[in-house]
Amino acid sequence: MQRSMGILGTRWKPIIIYTLRDRKARFGQLDALIENISRKVLTSSLKELEEDGIILREEFKELPPRVEYALTEKGKALIPIMCQLAKWNEEYYEEPAALEL
Amino acid sequence: MQRSMGILGTRWKPIIIYTLRDRKARFGQLDALIENISRKVLTSSLKELEEDGIILREEFKELPPRVEYALTEKGKALIPIMCQLAKWNEEYYEEPAALEL
DNA sequence: TAAAGTAGTTACCTTTGCGTAACTATCAAA
DNA sequence: TTTGATAGTTACGCAAAGGTAACTACTTTA
């Protein structure tokens, strides 16, 4: 547990992983999809998650440049956990959907 | 998700919650059960988790003093998530148990 | 020649997380 | 009167996390 938390125990990394649960995404897409994250934190988090073997960075030699991020197997193993966490969040913190009448 | 991570996105809080998954515990017990945590971080984390409605602090008017910490309903809802995380940790980072021959 | 698009980087700064060590309060027991 | 046990608190400081804004590099398109 201690080791995991050394890797995941930040405000943004779980959100990045959650965002990649069902898609690859480019840097700019992640920046747009994740509200309020700064490009700087996104850059450094992606770098660290890659070092820790949780995401994969694929660079296409095109112009303009294209880089895609995706979860590795180790990262994919976190998907159910992140989804449960999102559900917990909704249950306790989000606006309930409009009541049916 | 953002809200949850504002609450849980630290190195120690998930570990504290995980430690309380199957027991109440006193301050000193938590300090002993969780390796390497400092009393200071334990104090402040417990205080914040209580403010966020995840744990309950019960103070007994005895001498020497006794204080017990336990998960609330909202906190208990996190147990399966923390257990999965612990499992993920074991799978990818812990020593595998001795191989059978 | 200038703008536009992509994927960052860099400099600078503030806040938070975390650590260590010493100290507090209370009462009972030695 | 000193020790022991419990549950902290306080002072001090470092490092990591995070934010903002401006800047870079490359090539195509206008």
Side-chain angles (χ1 to χ4, degrees), chain A residues 7-8 10-18 45 48-49 52:
Chain A
I7 292 171
L8 303 173
T10 74
R11 196 186 246 63
W12 292 110
K13 285 180 186 171
I15 295 177
I16 294 173
I17 294 166
Y18 180 68
S45 299
E48 290 173 15
L49 287 171
D52 290 327

Side-chain angles (χ1 to χ4, degrees), chain A residues 88 91-92, chain B residues 53-56 70-80:
Chain A
W88 181 85
E91 189 163 343
Y92 289 97
Chain B
I54 290 169
I55 64 174
L56 204 77
L71 295 177
T72 60
E73 283 312 306
K74 200 205 291 191
K76 284 180 191 166
L78 289 168
I79 295 176

Side-chain angles (χ1 to χ4, degrees), chain B residues 2 6 15 40 43 62 65 74 82:
Chain B
Q2 304 240 359
I15 295 177
K40 189 203 158 194
T43 301
E62 306 175 355
K74 200 205 291 191
M82 296 306 150

Side-chain angles (χ1 to χ4, degrees), chain B residues 7 10 12-20 23-32 34 37-58 67-72:
Chain B
I7 293 171
T10 74
W12 292 110
K13 285 180 186 170
I15 295 177
I16 293 172
I17 295 166
Y18 181 68
T19 305
L20 290 172
R23 63 191 329 155
K24 298 176 169 188
R26 304 172 62 170
F27 182 85
Q29 290 181 307
L30 288 170
D31 188 32
I34 302 174
I37 198 172
S38 67
R39 296 169 93 70
K40 189 203 158 194
V41 169
L42 186 53
T43 301
S44 66
S45 300
L46 289 170
K47 200 168 291 175
E48 292 172 14
L49 286 171
E50 196 197 356
E51 285 167 7
D52 290 326
I54 290 169
I55 64 174
L56 204 77
R57 180 181 186 277
E58 192 178 4
V67 177
E68 284 186 350
Y69 294 92
L71 295 177
T72 60

